[in-house]
Structure formats: C-alpha cells, structure tokens
C-alpha cells in the first residue's frame, strides 16, 4: 500500500474510532485534554507505521491498544512523580500488577464512555460556541479547519475555543461521568441543544454563500443517533432525532441547480428522502411510546411530520400545526415560536389572522434583528395585496440576513412586489 492510500485509510478509521478512543481514555486518565493527546499519539504512530507495515486487519483495535499502552505509561509516570523516592519501587510493582485491570477498564462498555464524553463536552460551564466546537472535535471527528469552514470563522479562533474549553473543564474539575438524578435533565438539555445547533447551521446556514451545509446535518444526525442508542429511555432524545431526520429529508429539494433557495411550498416533494421520513416518523413514535407530555423537540418533530405526511402543499394539516405551535409556546415560550404560530394560523385561517399575531410581536427585542420577522410580515402583506408594505418588509429582511443566497431571494421577492399592481 502506498503512502497516499494508507493516509486515506487512517483518516477514515480516525473518523470512525476517534470518539470511542477518546471516551475510553478520558475515563481512565480523568482529563479530556490528556485523553485527546493520547489518542493523537496513537494516530501519529499509525501515520508512521501503517504506510510501511500496511493497515492492520483491525485498525480500530490497533489504535486502542496503542493508546492503552500510552495511557498506562502516563499513569505510571504520574504515580512516580507523586511518590517519594523510597516508595517508587512499591509503586512500580503496584502499577505492573494493575496493568491488566487498566486494560480491562478500557474495554468496559463503551456506551457509558461515549455518553460521558457527550455530557462533558457539552457541560454548561462552557460557552455555547465552545461546546459546539469541542463536541464536533471530540465526537464528530472534525479537524479544526473543518469546523472553521463549517461555521465561517477563522481556524485560530476555533483552535482557541477548543484549547480554552479543555482548560476550563480541567480548572473546574468537571468529572468525566454520566450525571444522575436532577442534574441529568439539565445536562441532557445542553447536549441536545448543541446537537440541534449543529444541525440548524447545516439546514439553514446563518451566513456565507451556501443556504445549506448538508455535511453538518449529517454530523448532527449521527451524534443524535448515537445518543438515542445510549439514552434510549429519554423521549426528547428520540424527539430530536425525529425532528432532524424529517427536516433533513427535504435537503435535496431545498435548493435549485445553482444553489438558490426553494421555499417549502415550492419544493418538489418527490425529491424528499422517503427513508429519512420513515426513520423520523419511527423516532417520533418511539418518543410518544415512552409516555408523558411531548417535549419541545418532539413537538417540533410532530410539526415536521405534518409536512412529511402531506403529498402536496394543499394537503398540509395547518390547523394541527397551529395547535402544535400553541402547545410548544406553552412549554417553551418565545417570540420565534409565536412567529411560527402566526404563519401556521395564516395558512389555516387566512393571512389577516396570522398578521395580527405577527404585529403583536413588533415590540419584542429579540425580533428586531431577526430577518425572518420582516420576511414573514412581507409574505403575509403580499398575500393581502398590500404590496408596497410587503416590498419594504422584504427589503428590510434582505438587509438583516447574513446569508447571500437568502438575501438574493428576498431582494427578488421585493422586486416582484414592486412590479405587481396593487390589489384594489
């Protein structure tokens, strides 16, 4: 095997095995930063040896064994440094005797390790940006450059976030563990938030030349599926997976041949991915089977399911969607949820009803710089024939958005309003 083939194989193996490797090591050494360093050491060893010796039959096991040995060396050195000289001999013997146990510990159920890694990387002590970067790095297997490209920020900025995040976790002495009791719900909420933030950035990019970044959606869905396997009794985990699967089913239909956005009502539903829809509906059913009131993610998944089940836009059950948004507003009230309810009410009861709800939100500070607020008002005003007002709203939305594709769409809609005669 030539060096190029070996490097491609190593990259593929690393994407698959890195999270498992880091998770197992973190439990043993008790520090995410040190665990990643040990895993990287194993990667360097592979880069040095595999091009000459060939890729092992079980490359993941080779990396794990190499990392185990390095972890044991680290623990041995740590013990030697922590003991007086007179105790060194006893400590070495104790470590030698414990080496089989250390190997066994690294081979314990990897599920708890991965779950622990998720909870640690998404710990509330970290900023949202740091949690996202660290999660994609440790669990998504993305490089610093890949994360930077995905979020359109400089690579050094991402690198600093990751370094500071690991330092913060170490200084705060955040334990590598799966939280129990009351703390678990809060921490799980943080994990779900991070995964959904990654997905949303892929589904509707906040800035840049591309309206969607499907690779980020794929990363988020993969993390969600892993979490659903590890926390199978948590309804909201299945709710989030359902929401992402169903939303992702539309990705191929959301853009045209040149990457231009295509609105939901104009999408070719034959291009929606039926496998993702089936998987999403199954995940939603699982969330419902687990009992209790549906959480915020499951309610949003139920809304997405209404669209997925409609073969044509006119078959969409907008009244049910409006009801679901009402339920969502009760458990997770926000102006953005209310704005979405305005759209659903407009589709169910007419644009005047929806506009009344939207207009009532005019004083909400969070919506002042939110481009979808004037975009929604523009759409409703256009349907009412108030074209001058609609044009002004689309122009304002175009000024607020940071996504070039979306800006072009909004400018086009404003121009269309200007070109049409007003309805008397």
């Amino acid at each position: 095997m030539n060096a190029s083939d070996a490097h491609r194989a190593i990259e593929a193996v690393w994407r698959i095995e890195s999270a498992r490797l880091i998770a197992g090591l973190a439990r043993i050494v008790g520090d995410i930063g040190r665990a990643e360093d040990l895993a990287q050491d194993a990667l360097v060893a592979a880069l040095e040896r595999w091009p000459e010796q060939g890729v092992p039959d079980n490359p993941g096991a080779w990396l794990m064994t190499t990392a185990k040995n390095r972890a044991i060396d680290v623990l041995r050195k740590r013990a030697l440094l922590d003991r007086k000289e007179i105790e060194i001999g006893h400590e070495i013997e104790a470590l030698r005797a414990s080496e089989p146990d250390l190997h066994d510990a690294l081979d314990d159920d990897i599920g708890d390790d991965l779950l622990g890694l998720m909870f640690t990387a998404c710990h509330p002590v970290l900023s949202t940006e740091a949690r996202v970067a660290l999660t994609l790095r440790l669990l998504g297997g993305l490089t610093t450059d890949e994360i930077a490209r995905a979020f359109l920020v400089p690579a050094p900025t991402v690198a600093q976030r990751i370094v500071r995040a690991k330092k913060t976790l170490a200084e705060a002495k955040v334990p590598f563990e799966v939280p129990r009791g009351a703390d678990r719900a809060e921490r799980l909420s943080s994990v779900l938030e991070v995964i959904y933030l990654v997905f949303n950035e892929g589904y509707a990019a906040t800035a840049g030349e591309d309206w969607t970044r499907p690779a980020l959606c794929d990363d988020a869905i993969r993390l969600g599926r892993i979490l659903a396997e590890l926390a199978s009794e948590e309804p909201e985990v299945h709710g989030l997976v359902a929401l992402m699967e169903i939303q992702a089913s539309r990705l191929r239909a959301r853009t045209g041949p040149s990457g231009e956005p295509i609105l939901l009502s104009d999408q070719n539903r034959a291009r929606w991915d039926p496998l993702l829809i089936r998987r999403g509906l199954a995940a939603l059913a699982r969330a419902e089977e687990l009992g209790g009131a549906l959480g915020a993610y499951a309610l949003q998944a139920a809304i997405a399911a209404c669209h997925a089940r409609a073969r044509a836009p006119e078959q969409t059950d907008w009244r049910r969607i409006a009801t679901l948004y009402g339920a969502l507003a009760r458990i997770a009230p926000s102006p953005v949820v209310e704005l979405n309810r305005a759209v659903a009410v407009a589709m169910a009861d007419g644009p005047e009803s929806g506009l009344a709800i939207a207009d009532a939100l005019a004083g909400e500070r969070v919506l002042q710089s939110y481009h979808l607020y004037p975009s929604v008002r523009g759409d409703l005003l256009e349907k009412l024939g108030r074209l001058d007002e609609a044009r002004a709203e689309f122009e304002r939305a175009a000024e607020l958005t940071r996504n070039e594709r979306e800006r072009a769409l909004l400018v086009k809609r404003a121009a269309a309003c200007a070109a049409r005669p007003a309805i008397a």
Side-chain angles (χ1 to χ4, degrees):
M1 175 181 290
N2 60 43
S4 179
D5 290 340
H7 286 172
R8 280 196 295 271
I10 292 168
E11 182 180 350
V13 170
W14 181 253
R15 283 293 175 97
I16 296 169
E17 298 290 342
S18 61
R20 177 176 179 271
L21 199 61
I22 294 168
L25 293 165
R27 175 165 47 83
I28 297 304
V29 300
D31 183 284
I32 280 183
R34 188 180 294 272
E36 189 184 15
D37 289 343
L38 290 167
Q40 289 286 344
D41 287 346
L43 175 63
V44 170
L47 289 168
E48 291 173 348
R49 299 178 193 176
W50 291 6
E52 294 181 2
Q53 301 175 3
V55 178
D57 292 337
N58 191 335
W62 189 97
L63 286 171
M64 183 64 83
T65 299
T66 302
K68 284 178 185 178
N69 292 332
R70 292 178 186 272
I72 291 169
D73 288 342
V74 166
L75 292 172
R76 181 188 287 112
K77 290 175 182 177
R78 184 189 300 173
L80 293 176
L81 290 171
D82 289 345
R83 294 291 185 269
K84 296 177 183 178
E85 189 171 327
I86 194 171
E87 296 175 327
I88 287 179
H90 297 297
E91 186 62 36
I92 290 176
E93 291 304 315
L95 277 166
R96 284 175 178 164
S98 70
E99 282 186 17
D101 294 334
L102 290 172
H103 280 282
D104 291 342
L106 277 165
D107 285 330
D108 283 347
D109 180 15
I110 195 64
D112 282 347
D113 289 343
L114 284 172
L115 198 55
L117 187 59
M118 281 189 176
F119 278 110
T120 304
C122 298
H123 197 283
V125 73
L126 302 175
S127 69
T128 299
E129 294 82 3
R131 279 180 271 165
V132 168
L134 196 60
T135 297
L136 287 175
R137 171 76 172 190
L138 300 181
L139 287 148
L142 274 65
T143 66
T144 300
D145 285 342
E146 287 171 331
I147 298 170
R149 285 197 300 271
F151 286 89
L152 301 180
V153 294
T157 299
V158 174
Q160 287 178 353
R161 287 176 185 171
I162 293 171
V163 169
R164 288 173 183 166
K166 289 188 285 190
K167 183 179 180 182
T168 298
L169 291 172
E171 290 177 346
K173 293 182 170 54
V174 172
F176 183 84
E177 63 182 8
V178 177
R180 308 293 176 188
D183 190 38
R184 182 183 175 95
E186 178 186 353
R187 296 278 297 281
L188 180 62
S189 175
S190 177
V191 175
L192 296 175
E193 177 191 19
V194 167
I195 294 174
Y196 194 43
L197 280 171
V198 173
F199 178 84
N200 265 342
E201 187 58 33
Y203 188 74
T206 55
E209 298 290 337
D210 299 315
W211 200 34
T212 65
R213 299 189 186 114
L216 273 182
C217 293
D218 291 342
D219 286 323
I221 290 172
R222 181 165 59 84
L223 291 173
R225 288 171 180 166
I226 292 171
L227 184 59
E229 290 180 7
L230 302 177
S232 59
E233 299 305 309
E234 298 284 355
E236 270 293 74
V237 173
H238 297 285
L240 175 59
V241 172
L243 174 58
M244 294 190 298
E245 301 265 21
I246 297 172
Q247 295 280 63
S249 72
R250 306 178 201 153
L251 279 171
R252 288 182 302 188
R254 293 193 78 229
T255 54
S258 302
E260 69 276 14
I262 300 178
L263 299 176
L264 179 63
S265 59
D266 299 324
Q267 288 173 18
N268 178 1
R269 300 191 176 207
R271 299 195 69 203
W272 289 5
D273 189 324
L275 176 59
L276 284 174
I277 290 174
R278 288 197 298 272
R279 294 185 65 144
L281 293 177
L284 177 58
R286 176 61 179 154
E288 293 169 343
E289 288 167 5
L290 288 170
L294 293 182
Y297 293 112
L299 282 170
Q300 291 176 79
I303 291 168
C306 290
H307 294 294
R309 292 184 174 115
R311 295 179 178 273
E314 60 271 16
Q315 295 176 4
T316 305
D317 190 346
W318 284 105
R319 199 164 298 282
R320 172 166 169 73
I321 291 175
T323 300
L324 288 168
Y325 270 121
L328 181 60
R330 286 191 291 275
I331 66 169
S334 82
V336 173
V337 170
E338 195 66 5
L339 182 63
N340 281 298
R341 189 175 75 86
V343 174
V345 169
M347 296 301 293
D349 299 327
E352 286 186 358
S353 298
L355 186 60
I357 297 173
D359 286 348
L361 301 171
E364 297 287 350
R365 289 186 60 187
V366 72
L367 297 181
Q368 299 308 305
S369 59
Y370 186 53
H371 70 282
L372 290 182
Y373 180 62
S375 177
V376 166
R377 290 197 77 251
D379 185 70
L380 298 177
L381 288 165
E382 183 182 22
K383 289 175 179 175
L384 290 169
R386 295 160 60 177
L387 300 180
D388 286 342
E389 294 172 82
R391 175 187 51 77
E393 290 295 287
F394 286 135
E395 288 174 348
R396 171 163 169 72
E399 292 173 358
L400 289 174
T401 185
R402 293 188 293 131
N403 185 282
E404 296 302 323
R405 295 288 187 178
E406 195 163 25
R407 180 178 290 111
L409 174 65
L410 291 164
V411 168
K412 182 178 178 180
R413 296 196 70 181
C417 288
R420 282 173 50 193
I423 299 174

